[in-house]
Amino acid sequence: MDSPVPPHPSEPRPRRRDRHGRGMRGPVAPPQVPLSASRADSFRDLVQDSVERLERRWPQLAEVDFVVLDVPSTGEDTVPLGNALSAEKGQPAQIVVYRRPVEIRTKNRDERALLVHEVVVEQVAELLGLAPESVDPRYGQE
């Protein structure tokens, strides 16, 4: 009856459930359900939807990098919602949308989607040197 006993690992296994079996058993929602998407992911989706909507009208936006950052790094009195950076040597033009300032100013997803689109339109207009109404004719009407 020489059965080898597996050695105990040097580190204890992390406990996934409490000792009474009441802990989390698995993810609350499957990955394909919107509930499982983080706020940052859903915000990126809103920006991407807005960009795709504008790229149909302005194909040159395919060369522009759209970036989502949590907060601006400036120490100004007013907090910007976005920023447009023109192209430099070897660097494409870039439009930045700041997630936290936009989220703070909105109450629900619909308001957030409208504000994200307005910010993207304003920054594209600044980058192209045009009025926001010429970039998107529905700007300010929604």
Side-chain angles (χ1 to χ4, degrees), residues 32-128:
Q32 62 271 20
V33 177
L35 176 66
S36 68
S38 68
R39 287 192 326 221
D41 290 340
S42 63
F43 190 86
R44 270 189 227 102
D45 290 343
L46 291 176
V47 172
Q48 186 64 33
D49 291 344
S50 180
V51 170
E52 288 172 357
R53 187 167 141 188
L54 291 176
E55 278 182 342
R56 288 185 218 121
R57 183 177 169 112
W58 302 93
Q60 63 264 37
L61 291 180
E63 300 169 5
V64 177
D65 285 342
F66 289 86
V67 180
V68 175
L69 296 178
D70 283 340
V71 292
S73 61
T74 60
E76 299 175 13
D77 291 337
T78 60
V79 178
L81 302 178
N83 194 8
L85 305 168
S86 58
E88 294 180 5
K89 302 175 223 162
Q91 295 287 333
Q94 191 176 53
I95 292 180
V96 181
V97 180
Y98 300 110
R99 181 175 67 89
R100 292 296 298 147
V102 170
E103 285 180 340
I104 289 170
R105 287 168 177 80
T106 57
K107 294 179 183 173
N108 57 38
R109 182 176 168 83
D110 293 335
E111 285 182 15
R112 193 169 303 123
L114 287 173
L115 185 56
V116 164
H117 186 66
E118 285 184 6
V119 170
V120 170
V121 168
E122 290 168 359
Q123 298 309 316
V124 167
E126 183 178 327
L127 188 67
L128 298 177

